[in-house]
Amino acid sequence: DCLKTSFNLKLRQSENLNSDVIMVMEKGSLVRIIAIGHDDYIDGVENNWVYVQPVTFNEQMEMVNSGEDGYCYGAYLEETDLP
């Protein structure tokens, strides 16, 4: 399933706020969840870190990778109508 970022969201090398930032994904960026990480409490919200792959869709509406895998905080991802 494909999710989108609800804010500009940092993609990190590991599942903590002190980890190196790989990139900042713009609000509305699409990701595919690869794995669910550990539970955390950030900005007053409890959720899991998730290991994701940034994605996009080609002209045939096939999901294709669009960046390096990394971790982001799951509270800032939301559902999409995309497969």
Side-chain angles (χ1 to χ4, degrees):
D1 287 346
C2 187
L3 300 174
K4 67 179 178 179
T5 59
S6 54
F7 296 93
N8 289 346
L9 187 59
K10 293 176 182 170
L11 187 67
R12 297 180 177 275
Q13 290 197 355
S14 61
E15 47 192 325
N16 68 68
L17 292 176
N18 296 320
S19 175
D20 289 341
V21 175
I22 296 168
M23 66 182 280
V24 176
M25 299 180 288
E26 292 183 11
K27 179 181 178 179
S29 294
L30 302 174
V31 298
R32 179 178 62 88
I33 294 179
I34 298 170
I36 304 294
H38 74 79
D39 189 47
D40 208 343
Y41 193 79
I42 299 173
D43 295 333
V45 178
E46 185 174 4
N47 210 297
N48 288 78
W49 285 90
V50 288
Y51 189 65
V52 299
Q53 168 68 59
V55 297
T56 191
F57 286 86
N58 64 18
E59 292 178 5
Q60 292 78 33
M61 289 306 294
E62 299 167 325
M63 189 184 307
V64 293
N65 296 348
S66 66
E68 187 176 342
D69 298 356
Y71 288 92
C72 64
Y73 195 55
Y76 305 113
L77 297 175
E78 56 189 39
E79 298 290 326
T80 68
D81 294 334
L82 299 170

